[in-house]
Amino acid sequence: MRILITDDHALFRQGLAVLLQQLPEISEVQTADSGKQTLALLQNQRQNQSFDLILMDIDMPEMNGIDTVTQIRKQKNNVPIVALSISARPYDILHMYDAGINGYLLKSSSIQEVRKALQQLQQGHEYYCEEIRPQLFELLLQRKPHTQQQELTNREKEVLVMICQQYSTEEIAQALYVSPLTINNHRRSILRKTHSKNVAGLVLYALEKHIFIK
């Protein structure tokens, strides 16, 4: 797993890099001191192997984490990004979520929790630390959709429940006796119909619509 750490504090990013390099699942760790440097590294990916994950600080000079993630997503780059910040401010959480992150960790997190997040992301899930998760869901609950949501089919509801239960695409396909490609098509349809950006949005939709989740 190749990881990029973006943080403007040299001691923090270098210390985290040393810790991550000790994990057996990590093959390489690179660092960037700014959003601009991160974008430059991503542009050079054609000549190198792409990153599997970016750990992104929020408060940085010149280009903050929110703007950096926004630019990455505008370039149609779907590399998983996890916010790693000292901030638990609602503004930062919600704006990073809207920009397109796949998880959120606080800098007070242990290396064990960081490793847990990496494992979840490798399995195709998202990861929001326990301190952030309730606050994020509460912020999302306060929102009202601007467009009418389409009704899900019974099969799509089945798939949605299993996604919320953290089953992988392959596990869902096996349980429903269909191909993984079929499940991926259902997943895209569910995201489109519910106007969700990621799994957190799907969980929120399931809760709002009282779709049973064990």
Side-chain angles (χ1 to χ4, degrees):
M1 191 175 189
R2 298 183 73 243
I3 294 181
L4 174 63
I5 301 170
T6 300
D7 195 289
D8 61 317
H9 292 95
L11 187 60
F12 176 82
R13 68 174 182 270
Q14 291 169 6
L16 180 59
V18 170
L19 290 174
L20 290 176
Q21 286 168 342
Q22 296 175 7
L23 301 179
E25 61 266 37
I26 306 301
S27 59
E28 182 180 350
V29 179
Q30 292 191 38
T31 64
D33 60 12
S34 66
K36 288 186 176 180
Q37 187 179 10
T38 297
L39 294 176
L41 287 171
L42 292 176
Q43 288 176 353
N44 292 329
Q45 279 188 327
R46 294 180 181 178
Q47 301 174 3
N48 302 287
Q49 185 180 357
S50 61
F51 294 110
D52 299 301
L53 176 69
I54 298 176
L55 295 173
M56 179 77 64
D57 191 16
I58 298 177
D59 294 319
M60 297 182 291
E62 295 187 28
M63 179 180 285
N64 63 31
I66 297 168
D67 293 338
T68 305
V69 176
T70 299
Q71 287 300 316
I72 292 172
R73 296 305 185 222
K74 282 183 177 180
Q75 295 171 6
K76 308 299 182 183
N77 190 327
N78 294 318
V79 57
I81 303 173
V82 173
L84 182 57
S85 175
I86 196 172
S87 172
R89 294 172 297 198
Y91 172 92
D92 288 328
I93 298 169
L94 194 56
H95 281 72
M96 285 294 278
Y97 176 85
D98 287 339
I101 59 171
N102 305 95
Y104 201 113
L105 289 168
L106 294 175
K107 288 186 175 180
S108 57
S109 300
S110 65
I111 189 62
Q112 289 78 17
E113 183 168 27
V114 173
R115 189 177 190 183
K116 181 181 178 181
L118 299 183
Q119 292 170 343
Q120 289 290 309
L121 288 154
Q122 278 188 305
Q123 296 172 14
H125 306 306
E126 300 196 340
Y127 187 88
Y128 297 87
C129 64
E130 292 185 7
E131 296 90 340
I132 293 299
R133 198 177 307 142
Q135 192 173 181
L136 174 60
F137 283 176
E138 183 178 351
L139 291 168
L140 293 174
L141 281 169
Q142 295 172 2
R143 290 183 165 179
K144 295 181 179 180
H146 298 289
T147 56
Q148 186 175 4
Q149 293 169 330
Q150 294 178 263
E151 192 69 27
L152 299 180
T153 66
N154 289 334
R155 176 46 62 93
E156 286 171 344
K157 289 179 181 178
E158 283 184 275
V159 173
L160 172 59
V161 169
M162 296 187 76
I163 290 173
C164 293
Q165 291 172 336
Q166 299 191 46
Y167 284 92
S168 69
T169 296
E170 291 73 18
E171 289 171 334
I172 299 173
Q174 185 175 8
L176 299 180
Y177 302 102
V178 296
S179 71
L181 179 60
T182 298
I183 298 303
N184 281 329
N185 289 336
H186 283 313
R187 185 190 293 267
R188 284 194 293 269
S189 178
I190 295 167
L191 288 168
R192 176 177 54 80
K193 286 184 176 181
T194 62
H195 306 291
S196 300
K197 294 182 178 180
N198 46 39
V199 174
L202 292 179
V203 172
L204 176 63
Y205 176 88
L207 292 172
E208 287 179 336
K209 298 299 182 181
H210 304 289
I211 296 174
F212 180 71
I213 305 173
K214 291 182 180 179

